[in-house]
Each structure stands twice: as C-alpha cells, then as structure tokens.
Amino acid sequence: MLDWVLNSKNKEYMGKILFGLSILMLFGMVYLVFHKYFLTYDECFTLGLIKLPTDYGIYVTSLDVHPPLYYLIIKFFITILPIGNSNYNLVIVSKLISIIPYAIILAVSATFFKRRYGWLTCGLIAFSLATMTGFFLNYITMRMYSWSVLFLLLSYLSLYLILTENKTK
C-alpha cells in the first residue's frame, strides 16, 4: 500500500481524493447548519453578546476569557445582512460565518500548497484541518475556534514566506 502512495502519479491522485473529500465536508458543514440545528451554552452567550451595543459588548468580552474579534466579525456581518429579528436566522448566519474560515483554508490549500508542494500536500492539509481533534464540529459552532485555526495557518504561512523568501508584505 505504501509503495502505491509513494508513486508520484498516485500521490497526485490521493491528494485530489483528499481535497475532494474536504470539499464534501464543507458541503456537509453547510447542510448540518441548515438541517441539524443545535446550540451550546457558549453559543447562547455569543447570541446574547452580539445583540449588545458594540462598546458594551467589548466591555463584557473583556470580563470573559475570549477575545472580542470573533464577536466583532459576527456583528459586522449581521449589521450588513438583512436577516430580520428572528433568532433562527441569527443562529444560521452566525454558524455560516464560522464555516467561512474552512472555505478560506480550502482556497489557500488549492492555491498556495498545491502550487508549491503538489496535490498530496494540498489534500492532506485541507482534510486534516477538518478532521483532526473534532475541528469539524468547531467549524459549525458559533465560537472563535474556526477563525483561530485560519489565523494560525495564515500567520504560519506569513512567517514561512518571511523566513524562506524574505517576503514582508
């Protein structure tokens, strides 16, 4: 089995399969948001916090252990989208906002990693960032975890480019 994977043509094939599975997982996440509705206690906190005025929301967040950027991101999207006053719409939009980082990770994998390292690395990164240690559920939860994974990956890529190619933009 290992010989089959090490063949360069098979590496490309395996990477495409993993990347395709990652795209299916993205669609699965969106499906779960619309059809398998659930809320945790922390998500109720998020719902309450984003309904507060921005300055008071930042104050309340400073009393909590979580950074306010995630709540500001959700508040920004909610103010520009006409979702009405329904809590159901607010929950769906907030959960979809938590899926956006995985879509960006797929785009980064398909461009940066595929171009530099090939399909196998592209597929492995996209697939592993969705499946390891329960991240799949974190991407559909109204919390900052999915955004932190995205920011961590982008920070690593920036540091990598600075160290290897002296790119500072």
Side-chain angles (χ1 to χ4, degrees), residues 20 22 31 37 48 68-69 76 103 126 131 148 153 164:
S22 301
Y31 174 82
Y37 186 81
L69 179 62
F76 170 76
T131 58
S148 63
L153 177 68
T164 59

Side-chain angles (χ1 to χ4, degrees), residues 18-76:
L18 290 173
F19 191 75
L21 287 173
S22 301
I23 291 173
L24 287 175
M25 289 171 55
L26 175 67
F27 288 122
M29 290 176 199
V30 173
Y31 174 82
L32 286 175
V33 165
F34 284 105
H35 292 81
K36 302 294 180 186
Y37 186 81
F38 70 92
L39 280 177
T40 65
Y41 293 117
D42 287 339
E43 289 177 310
C44 292
F45 175 76
T46 301
L47 283 175
L49 192 64
I50 60 178
K51 289 181 181 179
L52 296 174
T54 305
D55 56 345
Y56 189 66
I58 290 173
Y59 170 74
V60 171
T61 307
S62 70
L63 301 174
D64 191 31
V65 296
H66 297 104
L69 179 62
Y70 172 74
Y71 306 110
L72 294 174
I73 291 170
I74 287 186
K75 197 159 185 68
F76 170 76

Side-chain angles (χ1 to χ4, degrees), residues 39 43 46-47 70 91 94-95 98 140-144:
L39 280 177
E43 289 177 310
T46 301
L47 283 175
Y70 172 74
V91 170
S94 299
K95 286 182 176 270
S98 293
I140 59 173
T141 304
M142 284 187 301
R143 300 301 286 162
M144 75 290 309

Side-chain angles (χ1 to χ4, degrees), residues 2 5 10 33 41 46 54 56 58 62 77 79 86 93 101-102 128 135 139 149 154 165:
L2 186 60
V5 173
N10 294 337
V33 165
Y41 293 117
T46 301
T54 305
Y56 189 66
I58 290 173
S62 70
F77 277 104
T79 54
S86 168
V93 169
Y102 188 64
S128 66
F135 274 128
Y139 286 116
V149 170
L154 294 178
E165 299 177 11

